[in-house]
């Protein structure tokens, strides 16, 4: 007589796994913003944007525009990344030393992007076929042209907020395809090159303190 | 009635030709299933595009914390497994229900580990960008293969006495390594948070 117990155990594990997978597949996007308590500029962790993604998007061009695009400026001085979702856009421009800007804006139905940031920073671009963004940015008095390619996780924009030894710490990172990173940590408004984050978990050590950088989505 | 002390003990009916164990299939089937499970999980984790996010439990700050606590729960029951296994084999004094304890702690450990693995594979995928990550990915896939083999071997009778403890010990060791490279690392990196 063969024992059915072990087989039932395996079967139960398989069913549980499939159940969790279907749960992830159906609700994964919706809860995407919930683990991230910290608010990025323009990223309101309200349930409103998630509803927009959960329901089918009215325009196919917008639907195709969801995702993250990364690349470097034409002069190779800085990295640029744009994250799109539900017709909204967030961008991070960073040279890895002292020039950075967070920008937010919208994606029009024709695929054009218009984003603005602090201190008059601007970023304009055009989506090309859902695979590429070509555009220009004005940040810190400089004018840059860039081409961004659609990237897969863990490439993208990451941000960390914290208080270390009384100083306000804001970190921003662009993880490029191939694992290269460009980032800046600002301590009480003073920018400097950022330490490397673990793109899988967002773990990073700033001034001896363990922080978590979270992926940024609109 | 006299009992021949030299007679072979019959813990199960003598095997007739129809009841003969199917030879190498006893080992081959679990081994092949184990390989298929491990490779299948690895390929899925490698091929599909990790989403980065997944279903999160309420009351936890991050999926990392949820997973670390679930993994720690699984590890705790794995320790129960180790102790109860020694009891079942009579190497430690134990209660009569040691076998039941072993079965059920194993089931709980396995079922608790499944959601963690699903999240790992679905949201993070099979990654190799660091030593810890590489070992965790490889061992995570290996674990579910080894566990499947253990479960299937349990169904076979008349295995060599050393086989189940060996495979069981392997499963326990691998789970320990997985826990060390994930949950322990998480708690050391982010602190023991919920």
């Amino acid at each position: 007589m063969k024992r059915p117990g072990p087989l039932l155990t395996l079967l139960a594990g398989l069913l549980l796994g499939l159940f969790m997978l279907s749960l992830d597949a159906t609700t994964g996007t919706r809860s995407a913003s919930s683990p991230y308590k910290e608010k990025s500029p323009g990223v309101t962790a309200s349930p409103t944007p998630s509803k927009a993604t959960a329901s089918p998007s009215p325009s196919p061009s917008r639907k195709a525009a969801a995702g993250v695009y990364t690349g470097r400026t034409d002069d190779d001085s800085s990295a640029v990344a744009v994250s799109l979702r539900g017709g909204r856009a967030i961008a991070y421009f960073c040279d890895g030393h002292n020039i950075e800007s967070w920008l937010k804006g919208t994606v029009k139905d024709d695929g054009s992007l218009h984003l603005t940031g602090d201190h008059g920073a601007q970023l304009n671009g055009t989506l090309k076929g859902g695979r590429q963004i070509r555009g220009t940015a004005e940040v810190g008095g400089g004018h840059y042209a860039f081409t961004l390619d659609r990237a897969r996780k863990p490439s993208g924009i990451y941000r960390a907020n914290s208080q270390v030894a009384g100083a306000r710490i804001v970190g921003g990172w662009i993880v490029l395809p191939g694992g290269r990173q460009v980032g800046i940590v600002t301590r009480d408004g003073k920018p400097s090159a950022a330490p490397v984050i673990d793109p899988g978990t967002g773990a990073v050590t700033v001034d001896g303190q363990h922080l978590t950088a979270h992926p940024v989505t609109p | 009635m006299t009992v021949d002390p030299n007679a072979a003990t019959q813990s199960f009916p003598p095997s007739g030709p129809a009841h003969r164990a199917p030879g190498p299939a006893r080992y081959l089937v679990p081994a092949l299933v184990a390989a298929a499970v491990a490779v299948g999980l690895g390929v899925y984790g490698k091929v599909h595009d990790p989403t980065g996010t997944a279903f999160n439990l309420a009351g936890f700050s991050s999926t990392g914390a949820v997973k670390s606590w679930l993994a720690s729960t699984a590890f705790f029951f794995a320790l129960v497994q180790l102790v109860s296994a020694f009891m079942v084999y009579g190497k430690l004094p134990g209660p009569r229900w040691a076998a039941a304890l072993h079965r059920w702690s194993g089931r709980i450990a396995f079922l608790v580990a499944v959601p963690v693995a699903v999240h790992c594979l679905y949201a993070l995928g099979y990654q190799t960008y660091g030593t810890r990550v590489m070992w965790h990915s490889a061992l995570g896939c290996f674990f579910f293969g080894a566990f499947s083999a253990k479960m299937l071997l349990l169904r076979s009778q008349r295995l060599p006495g050393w086989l189940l403890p060996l495979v069981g010990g392997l499963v326990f060791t691998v789970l320990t390594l997985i826990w060390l490279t994930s949950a322990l690392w998480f708690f050391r990196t982010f602190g023991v948070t919920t």
Side-chain angles (χ1 to χ4, degrees), chain A residues 77 108 119 122 162 201:
Chain A
S77 68
K108 295 239 174 72
H119 311 296
Q122 276 194 34
S162 186
T201 59

Side-chain angles (χ1 to χ4, degrees), chain B residues 90-115:
Chain B
K91 307 287 179 196
L92 279 179
R96 223 188 270 166
W97 39 269
L101 176 68
H102 188 74
R103 278 199 293 276
W104 281 101
S105 59
R107 279 181 189 139
I108 295 171
F110 171 60
L111 291 179
V112 162
V114 164

Side-chain angles (χ1 to χ4, degrees), chain B residues 65 68-69 72 179 182-194:
Chain B
S68 296
W69 284 107
S72 300
W179 182 81
S182 60
L184 184 68
W185 169 85
F186 180 89
F187 288 137
R188 284 171 59 99
T189 308
F190 299 104
V192 183
T193 56
T194 48

Side-chain angles (χ1 to χ4, degrees), chain B residues 66-89:
Chain B
V66 178
K67 287 167 72 182
S68 296
W69 284 107
L70 283 176
S72 300
T73 309
F75 182 58
F76 168 78
F77 281 104
L79 291 173
V80 175
Q81 283 278 287
L82 188 68
V83 174
S84 58
F86 277 115
M87 290 173 177
V88 169
Y89 278 82

Side-chain angles (χ1 to χ4, degrees), chain A residues 75-87:
Chain A
D75 63 4
D76 208 30
S77 68
S78 308
V80 185
V82 179
S83 178
L84 308 178
R85 194 160 73 164

Side-chain angles (χ1 to χ4, degrees), chain A residues 4-19, chain B residues 110-111 114 147-148 151-152:
Chain A
L7 264 198
L8 291 177
T9 306
L10 278 181
L11 202 63
L14 185 68
L15 288 178
L16 180 66
L18 290 175
F19 172 70
Chain B
F110 171 60
L111 291 179
V114 164
F147 183 82
S148 308
M151 288 297 104
L152 294 176

